Amino acid sequence: MELTGAEILVQCLKEEGVEYLFGYPGGAVLHIYDALYKQDDVKHILVRHEQAATHAADGYARSTGKPGAVLVTSGPGATNAVTGIATAYMDSIPMVVITGQVPTSLIGNDAFQECDSVGITRPIVKHNFLVKDIKDLAETMKKAFYVATSGRPGPVVVDVPKDVTGQSAEYSYPKEISMRSYNPVSKGHVGQIKKAVELILSAKKPMIYSGGGVILGEGCQQLRDFTQKLGYPITNTLMGLGAYSATDKQFIGMLGMHGTYEANMSMHHCDVLIAIGARFDDRVTGNLEKFCPDAKILHVDVDPASISKTVKVDVPIVGEVVEVLEALIAGIDTSESKVDTPALEKWWQQIDVWRAQDCLKFDTESDKIKPQAAIQKVYELTNGEAYVTSDVGQHQMWAAQYYKFDEPRRWINSGGLGTMGFGLPAAMGVQLAHQDKTVVCITGECSIQMCIQELATCLQYGLPIKILNLNNGFMGMVRQWQEFFYDKRYSESVMSVAPNFVALAEAYGHVGIRVEDPKDLDAALDEAFNKHKDRLVFIDVITDPDENVYPMVPAGAGLNEMVLV
Amino acid sequence: MQHIVSILMENESGALSRVAGLFSARGYNIESLTVAPTDDSSMSRMTLVTSGTEDVVEQILKQLNKLVDVVKLVDLTESAHIEREMMLIKIEAIGESRAEVKRLADIFRGNIIDVTDTTYTVELTGPGERLSAFLQALSSISILEVVRSGAMGISRGEKTLGL
Ligand SMILES: Cc1ncc(C[n+]2csc(CCOP(=O)(O)OP(=O)(O)O)c2C)c(N)n1
């Protein structure tokens, strides 16, 4: 079948099962937009800024496990998408981004809207391609989806010059693809599994530390089986929340800079650390010299480069999380050794002492709205079942601490890059993927303004997202650091001029609610979540501006040196 | 310690910049780098000389392996190998030094490949250390220009780096 390059691209997206293509048109991609116009299988979602297209595709991918798809034009279209590509890269999110390019004959001439998209995105993609010959187009798209979704996932950019989309060629989509230079591992090494089982069962003070990799690798059920079989305590990273049920008694909270006291103390004092799909990020480990001083470490990861990158491990296993956990479970079942139950009981007693500190308690009598209370209330109203996206700052940490995720893919946040502006567009992708589910965007008045224009997109596609704007009048997280480490010199962190968010929401055709008095909080949230179920509601919650995120591991400290309040 | 890493990669435009970009983005050292297509023109062979602690070099190898264009690689320094580098050097050759340059070139088994009334251009091939030793030996003579290829390497014995 002879098709134009533009038609081939659309056909490839169909073959890959792409439901939504998030994008924004421009000169270099007009052929592609014309091809999109002539079909209904791939639905195009017109964002208001290309950054939002990448975040929306990212939210779609995080909440479904399927790759996100993006289409932007050359030059400024591609550069606007860069933040979203980097965000996806840092959190290993599968995504294929098609960028238009000037015609091949003009490449290198500083042509109108030309930029070296492949060069600019190289350090923030898993891989990228420039397609100079239409004969390579279909195969390149196949490779792009394969690379984006296999092994450790990540974004892939396909840069397509305009003339390539205009020419015609014979089309057939490859059913299978193999690349001699790319062979992600799946099964863990048998010898290592044996060693790992022995180490796991030798523990007197064990700790399971799991991250986003378990969710990306669809290994949550195996993680639950593994953890429950052993009876060991488990902590999740910011990216791993929901992989293990937050309301289960073996779960001792998130770890790291704003993790729970019990999780961080257990990390510090454990004798065997079982790390699964986590990468020992600096926000997790605190001071590396003081990290898990007495522990032997087992690390399971699909990416060999994650192993012993920052923390030396004793037993590394490279493989897909599902296969490795299943092998470990089988190994535990058949091993001569057994869990040391008396030692484990003692360990739990110690953990319960740490738990009794109740490190997440907060003032419930205040005459100002406490952000924690607002999140708890949303948790109750949504039965803990909402999809929650967030931006970056204090509100993000509170959301992670106070919304207890029992299921994976419900907590959607930019953990690695920490991108303000992520929350609202990500929520669009989530809501499109889960039309009958409640989607909440927990944000701050500074973050939300970074992609506020997407309120128009939400109206266009009827996305009833609930925006919980925890409005403290500050770049709260910046203010907190300035309070602690810069003697309260609040340099440029005061958001003294913010819009009237209620009027703004209404101007965009949505519902706006403002609440300032703790007494009115329940009613306001009830109105937002129940009365206006089918509309986007912007809930502007005026919160206590002095509230800080606790507990906290100060920079340079060990995990056992938390500041509690 | 210095490591010589031999890399077999797709002969694609951009493959080289992926390797170079990786080194600059992660703050690794590149001491030298050579690259050219192999007998199979769809593949290039790169030899990269780097240095760092064992941990850093382990990360470098893993990160290189992760690049989608990299087919295979080996750290030649881990086993018996042969290292070669080529140097072209233009040297002032007047008066007494003219004979001295010729003599030194012979000792180091270099070839004089270009001659003028005032200069010799010498070609010298060998392990990097030998090239450096030649430069040292010339220290009293005026060197006009030095071009070094960077190291290339291959394993000794039957071991090969191929598909
Ligand atoms: C794009 C971007 N710019 C700057 C930062 C640095 N930063 C991290 S948190 C923060 C403040 C966020 O303020 P707000 O959205 O109001 O949330 P709050 O901390 O008050 O809850 C800033 C500026 C960032 N993470 N992302």
Side-chain angles (χ1 to χ4, degrees):
Chain A
M1 187 175 28
E2 179 109 337
L3 295 179
T4 67
E7 289 164 344
I8 289 174
L9 275 173
V10 174
Q11 208 56 42
C12 294
L13 295 174
K14 269 187 220 172
E15 292 278 356
E16 291 294 336
V18 171
E19 298 173 88
Y20 297 107
L21 177 63
F22 300 90
Y24 207 98
V29 287
L30 284 180
H31 293 321
I32 308 173
Y33 273 87
D34 197 46
L36 284 168
Y37 189 81
K38 296 175 188 156
Q39 56 85 52
D40 311 302
D41 295 319
V42 179
K43 291 181 219 51
H44 183 270
I45 303 297
L46 178 66
V47 293
R48 300 303 189 264
H49 185 298
E50 289 88 348
Q51 179 185 349
T54 44
H55 290 331
D58 182 325
Y60 174 90
R62 289 182 204 237
S63 68
T64 61
K66 295 190 264 181
V70 176
L71 172 61
V72 296
T73 192
S74 65
T79 55
N80 270 351
V82 162
T83 299
I85 297 170
T87 302
Y89 180 69
M90 287 296 280
D91 291 340
S92 307
I93 304 305
M95 182 189 290
V96 172
V97 180
I98 301 169
T99 53
Q101 184 54 275
V102 301
T104 42
S105 59
L106 293 182
I107 289 179
N109 284 341
D110 302 319
F112 177 63
Q113 294 195 327
E114 175 179 6
C115 74
D116 175 10
S117 300
V118 165
I120 289 173
T121 59
R122 188 176 300 120
I124 52 162
V125 292
K126 184 166 171 189
H127 196 56
N128 58 17
F129 300 92
L130 169 63
V131 186
K132 283 186 168 163
D133 187 336
I134 184 171
K135 289 204 279 306
D136 300 331
L137 188 55
E139 190 180 311
T140 304
M141 286 298 286
K142 181 80 188 177
K143 282 184 185 168
F145 277 93
Y146 170 58
V147 171
T149 54
S150 55
R152 179 177 179 172
V156 174
V157 165
V158 184
D159 199 26
V160 190
K162 185 170 185 179
D163 53 329
V164 172
T165 62
Q167 296 154 2
S168 295
E170 200 46 41
Y171 168 76
S172 75
Y173 200 63
K175 285 213 167 44
E176 295 283 324
I177 193 100
S178 77
M179 294 165 71
R180 62 183 178 186
S181 63
Y182 175 71
N183 300 293
V185 249
S186 63
K187 284 198 179 57
H189 191 278
V190 183
Q192 292 296 85
I193 300 272
K194 276 219 182 87
K195 266 198 235 164
V197 167
E198 289 318 305
L199 180 62
I200 291 167
L201 293 174
S202 73
K204 306 234 176 294
K205 297 189 282 178
M207 182 71 192
I208 302 172
Y209 143 59
S210 86
V214 177
I215 298 174
L216 293 165
E218 302 286 359
C220 300
Q221 191 51 53
Q222 286 77 6
L223 177 71
R224 289 166 191 221
D225 295 346
F226 174 80
T227 305
Q228 280 157 16
K229 172 173 286 294
L230 292 165
Y232 290 179
I234 178 168
T235 178
N236 285 165
T237 66
L238 179 69
M239 295 311 299
L241 293 175
Y244 194 85
S245 169
T247 53
D248 185 85
K249 59 183 187 316
Q250 280 173 253
F251 186 68
I252 59 172
M254 180 172 78
L255 82 166
M257 182 172 275
H258 293 298
T260 65
Y261 182 64
E262 51 270 34
N264 285 339
M265 290 301 275
S266 305
M267 287 292 288
H268 188 81
H269 292 280
C270 73
D271 68 347
V272 172
L273 180 66
I274 305 164
I276 309 172
R279 61 185 179 89
F280 299 85
D281 178 81
D282 51 288
R283 284 288 195 266
V284 155
T285 59
N287 187 334
L288 279 175
E289 315 246 289
K290 303 179 184 171
F291 181 72
C292 292
D294 307 321
K296 285 239 181 292
I297 303 179
L298 158 68
H299 188 188
V300 179
D301 206 289
V302 73
D303 177 7
S306 275
I307 287 173
S308 294
K309 185 171 68 178
T310 57
V311 171
K312 263 260 174 261
V313 305
D314 301 284
V315 182
I317 304 180
V318 176
E320 292 279 354
V321 62
V322 170
E323 310 215 350
V324 173
L325 281 177
E326 281 173 356
L328 288 175
I329 291 170
I332 290 165
D333 284 342
T334 54
S335 171
E336 309 266 280
S337 320
K338 293 280 165 277
V339 170
D340 185 340
T341 323
L344 184 60
E345 236 164 71
K346 256 180 78 188
W347 178 226
W348 270 115
Q349 280 164 12
Q350 171 62 66
I351 293 172
D352 286 337
V353 171
W354 289 323
R355 251 183 184 164
Q357 282 279 341
D358 195 9
C359 67
L360 294 180
K361 63 178 175 287
F362 60 90
D363 176 8
T364 48
E365 310 284 296
S366 170
D367 58 354
K368 298 192 181 108
I369 296 180
K370 291 289 178 179
Q372 301 95 323
I375 292 166
Q376 264 185 355
K377 186 69 203 166
V378 169
Y379 173 70
E380 287 160 20
L381 266 174
T382 55
N383 301 318
E385 290 169 355
Y387 286 81
V388 179
T389 72
S390 92
D391 274 298
V392 175
Q394 291 182 315
H395 61 273
Q396 175 190 28
M397 292 300 117
W398 285 318
Q401 291 174 332
Y402 293 90
Y403 200 104
K404 307 214 172 304
F405 295 93
D406 282 330
E407 295 300 326
R409 301 198 178 282
R410 300 290 169 97
W411 166 237
I412 313 280
N413 85 129
S414 165
L417 197 67
T419 309
M420 289 170 71
F422 175 80
L424 177 58
M428 303 191 313
V430 177
Q431 186 78 76
L432 282 161
H434 307 275
Q435 311 235 347
D436 52 346
K437 295 282 162 50
T438 306
V439 180
V440 187
C441 167
I442 297 181
T443 183
E445 80 291 348
C446 301
S447 290
I448 192 69
Q449 291 188 68
M450 289 220 174
C451 278
I452 192 88
Q453 74 287 342
E454 297 307 316
L455 285 173
T457 313
C458 294
L459 186 71
Q460 180 170 347
Y461 298 98
L463 306 177
I465 296 161
K466 306 293 177 266
I467 299 172
L468 187 75
N469 187 44
L470 298 174
N471 188 342
N472 52 12
F474 280 102
M475 294 173 194
M477 190 55 96
V478 175
R479 188 202 56 72
Q480 176 168 343
W481 281 59
Q482 289 171 335
E483 176 185 334
F484 290 0
F485 311 118
Y486 297 89
D487 231 354
K488 302 194 177 180
R489 289 185 299 278
Y490 296 141
S491 176
E492 302 299 326
S493 59
V494 188
M495 195 43 52
S496 48
V497 175
N500 173 340
F501 286 110
V502 171
L504 185 79
E506 286 169 355
Y508 274 107
H510 301 300
V511 180
I513 298 174
R514 180 185 154 96
V515 52
E516 194 159 9
D517 190 326
K519 286 198 296 293
D520 303 330
L521 180 63
D522 285 8
L525 292 176
D526 186 59
E527 183 185 347
F529 281 86
N530 293 322
K531 184 166 164 217
H532 301 296
K533 240 186 168 37
D534 301 330
R535 310 246 336 246
L536 184 148
V537 185
F538 194 111
I539 316 145
D540 190 22
V541 186
I542 312 303
T543 60
D544 183 350
D546 297 323
E547 191 59 31
N548 287 324
V549 183
Y550 290 113
M552 178 171 186
V553 180
L559 290 182
N560 59 329
E561 299 167 317
M562 291 200 93
V563 179
L564 282 175
V565 179
Chain B
M1 189 190 139
Q2 211 183 49
H3 288 251
I4 304 177
V5 186
S6 226
I7 307 167
L8 198 62
M9 57 191 204
E10 297 290 348
N11 184 10
E12 303 261 356
S13 73
L16 175 60
S17 46
R18 284 181 215 284
V19 173
L22 172 69
F23 275 70
S24 61
R26 293 189 183 265
Y28 305 144
N29 257 322
I30 300 187
E31 287 173 16
S32 76
L33 185 159
T34 69
V35 60
T38 64
D39 55 328
D40 171 354
S41 65
S42 71
M43 278 197 283
S44 294
R45 172 82 174 240
M46 177 186 278
T47 312
L48 195 151
V49 180
T50 183
S51 61
T53 61
E54 288 310 300
D55 290 351
V56 169
V57 172
E58 187 184 327
Q59 259 301 305
I60 291 176
L61 298 178
K62 286 174 171 175
Q63 292 291 347
L64 282 169
N65 245 323
K66 220 171 125 172
L67 292 176
V68 170
D69 283 337
V70 169
V71 179
K72 264 187 187 162
L73 61 81
V74 60
D75 181 357
L76 289 175
T77 335
E78 277 180 353
S79 55
H81 65 279
I82 300 160
E83 176 205 335
R84 286 291 178 273
E85 183 174 355
M86 179 186 269
M87 176 164 68
L88 302 177
I89 171 165
K90 194 172 287 186
I91 309 156
E92 192 174 74
I94 36 177
E96 275 171 25
S97 69
R98 201 163 170 94
E100 177 66 1
V101 170
K102 172 83 176 66
R103 209 170 59 80
L104 283 172
D106 287 344
I107 292 172
F108 280 85
R109 272 175 282 132
N111 296 320
I112 295 178
I113 54 173
D114 190 42
V115 178
T116 71
D117 289 350
T118 55
T119 64
Y120 279 148
T121 301
V122 178
E123 170 198 321
L124 186 60
T125 306
E129 279 172 22
R130 193 146 70 81
L131 309 193
S132 301
F134 182 54
L135 288 173
Q136 280 257 284
L138 288 168
S139 58
S140 62
I141 298 165
S142 171
I143 297 171
L144 303 173
E145 197 176 348
V146 175
V147 186
R148 295 178 70 152
S149 65
M152 299 189 300
I154 197 162
S155 310
R156 280 196 183 275
E158 289 169 357
K159 223 161 79 185
T160 60
L161 181 65
L163 272 182

